[in-house]
Amino acid sequence: MTPNQQLMTDLQSRGLRLVDDSAGAPSRRGGAGPSDHKAVVVDGRTIMVPVHTGSAAASPFQLGAPGPDGRATLRRNDTAVAQITFPKTPRFYKLQTFDGVPYWQIAQLHGSDVLATTVLQTCIRYGRRSTSCQFCAIGESLAHGRTVNRKTPQQLAEVARAAVLLDGIRHMVMTTGTPNFTDRGAQILCESTFAVKAANPDLPIQAQCEPPDDPAWFTRLKAAGVDSLGMHLEAVTPEVRQRIMPGKAEVDLDAYMKAFADSVAVFGRGQVSTYILAGLGDTREAILSMCEQLIGLGVYPFVVPFVPISGTPLENHAAPDPQFMRELLQPLGKMLVAGGLRSADIKAGCGRCGACSSLSAYEK
């Protein structure tokens, strides 16, 4: 393990205390993830680090104010450990759509070169304790006026075009709240992707939704222009899934595994991925066992440290210990290499961006 691997993993688990939050792209509070984070650049790599969470407030890491060159000193328990820089605030943030909506309310910069949007900012399960995911804050940014509920295909195409031209965006992520129990958002994503690709034919796009009820949707998503697909497990054992996401757990692991197999047949090995949140209660062994199955199917398991987001039932839940993350990501990185799945080969999406986890640093 290199010092930079350890530093990035520790930062993402423990968070960061900021002296000055004005440098670089604005930090993000609430809403769909990554939330309560700020993008920082460590040794040339952009990562998202928690800055507005309880664990961040107690972090041993503190970042001083940036100097004239834009660099800031990262300290751990008052000892300087690295120099940090920040991605610039995107130029497209200053614009607004033809109908008067600020571009940053439609889509935002994630990492250093990915445009991300939540096409539908509401979910059929959200807000009811018996069904909602306990970690989810999809409604927070909407409630505080930081976004709009439904981004139209035309708005998304307009903002994506500007982000590519002004800021060099290289790929795009479209996620959505679940609007129904049939296509589970696939139709909305098809419509949105088709419009964005019409305006930006060379922009790779990842769509993210729950497994639709009919596998034909995978072919429709591909035909609409989706390059890679994300269907997120979040937790890997039935017990944890039922406790943490009682509504989403109704789509059981067998249904997900079938959907993964069906979607890989359409998109290809390595172009389907899943988010796994480490620290919700699944053991290291359970996560690695699931990852082994996923890699065998051709699915990239993007394992990230759980971040307790303010305004959710789990806001006081502990973040995973850095050692737990290191002992998880190190063998997983070797499994990915052996299985021929690398983040750099993903056409678009969270795995390719890699800013929410230090996983890709372990693929060496």
Side-chain angles (χ1 to χ4, degrees):
M1 181 185 304
T2 68
N4 281 331
Q5 285 174 333
Q6 180 168 344
L7 176 60
M8 287 186 285
T9 304
D10 287 5
L11 273 172
Q12 291 191 315
S13 291
R14 297 193 183 279
L16 174 63
R17 291 178 289 128
L18 291 176
V19 170
D20 182 358
D21 191 17
S22 64
S27 58
R28 301 185 66 241
R29 289 181 182 267
S35 298
D36 293 351
H37 284 65
K38 188 175 181 68
V40 301
V41 182
V42 180
D43 192 34
R45 175 191 166 105
T46 301
I47 60 173
M48 302 300 291
V49 177
V51 295
H52 299 303
T53 63
S55 57
S59 173
F61 293 103
Q62 184 177 45
L63 194 61
D69 61 353
R71 302 173 70 86
T73 299
L74 176 68
R75 297 182 179 276
R76 180 169 188 162
N77 295 325
D78 297 326
T79 300
V81 293
Q83 290 291 305
I84 300 294
T85 57
F86 308 89
K88 295 180 180 178
T89 301
R91 288 184 285 180
F92 78 85
Y93 276 20
K94 296 180 180 180
L95 305 178
Q96 64 181 26
T97 64
F98 293 128
D99 50 356
V101 180
Y103 277 11
W104 61 266
Q105 291 188 348
I106 303 295
Q108 296 213 344
L109 174 72
H110 285 199
S112 60
D113 63 358
V114 57
L115 183 69
T117 184
T118 303
V119 178
L120 180 66
Q121 201 77 31
T122 51
C123 177
I124 197 168
R125 297 193 177 102
Y126 187 74
R128 294 190 294 271
R129 189 62 183 262
S130 61
T131 59
S132 65
C133 299
Q134 302 301 293
F135 51 76
C136 183
I138 191 172
E140 291 299 303
S141 51
L142 184 62
H144 290 87
R146 292 192 290 265
T147 189
V148 294
N149 181 37
R150 177 70 163 89
K151 291 79 173 176
T152 69
Q154 293 75 24
Q155 288 172 331
L156 292 167
E158 181 184 337
V159 174
R161 182 68 173 158
V164 169
L165 292 175
L166 296 176
D167 296 287
I169 292 297
R170 295 184 180 181
H171 59 120
M172 184 173 184
V173 177
M174 291 188 193
T175 189
T176 180
T178 301
N180 56 53
F181 297 131
T182 51
D183 69 81
R184 296 192 172 95
Q187 181 173 345
I188 289 173
L189 293 170
C190 282
E191 297 166 354
S192 301
T193 301
F194 187 84
V196 172
K197 275 295 178 83
N200 309 271
D202 298 324
L203 180 65
I205 295 174
Q206 183 191 52
Q208 299 178 352
C209 62
E210 292 185 61
D213 63 337
D214 186 345
W217 280 108
F218 299 134
T219 302
R220 294 168 189 156
L221 285 161
K222 179 76 171 177
V226 172
D227 297 281
S228 62
L229 181 68
M231 294 185 292
H232 300 336
L233 284 171
E234 270 92 26
V236 303
T237 55
E239 298 79 14
V240 177
R241 298 186 81 238
Q242 182 60 45
R243 175 170 55 85
I244 298 294
M245 50 184 115
K248 191 172 180 179
E250 292 174 3
V251 184
D252 64 22
L253 292 172
D254 288 341
Y256 267 87
M257 300 309 278
K258 184 180 185 305
F260 287 139
D262 289 340
S263 57
V264 169
V266 173
F267 290 95
R269 282 185 60 85
Q271 301 308 322
V272 178
S273 63
T274 190
Y275 234 88
I276 295 174
L277 300 174
L280 291 175
D282 290 319
T283 65
R284 170 183 173 275
E285 292 74 20
I287 294 174
L288 288 175
S289 175
M290 175 59 75
C291 289
E292 184 176 22
Q293 295 179 59
L294 293 167
I295 292 169
L297 288 172
V299 175
Y300 185 93
F302 189 50
V303 177
V304 307
F306 168 68
V307 176
I309 299 172
S310 55
T312 69
L314 294 183
E315 64 181 350
N316 295 317
H317 193 287
D321 183 80
Q323 183 174 347
F324 175 81
M325 292 305 304
R326 291 193 295 269
E327 292 176 350
L328 177 58
L329 298 179
Q330 200 160 22
L332 177 55
K334 295 178 180 178
M335 289 166 58
L336 287 166
V337 172
L341 300 184
R342 292 178 180 267
S343 56
D345 296 329
I346 303 173
K347 295 176 182 178
C350 293
R352 173 177 164 178
C353 171
C356 291
S357 172
S358 56
L359 174 58
S360 62
Y362 293 85
E363 294 176 11
K364 312 301 181 184

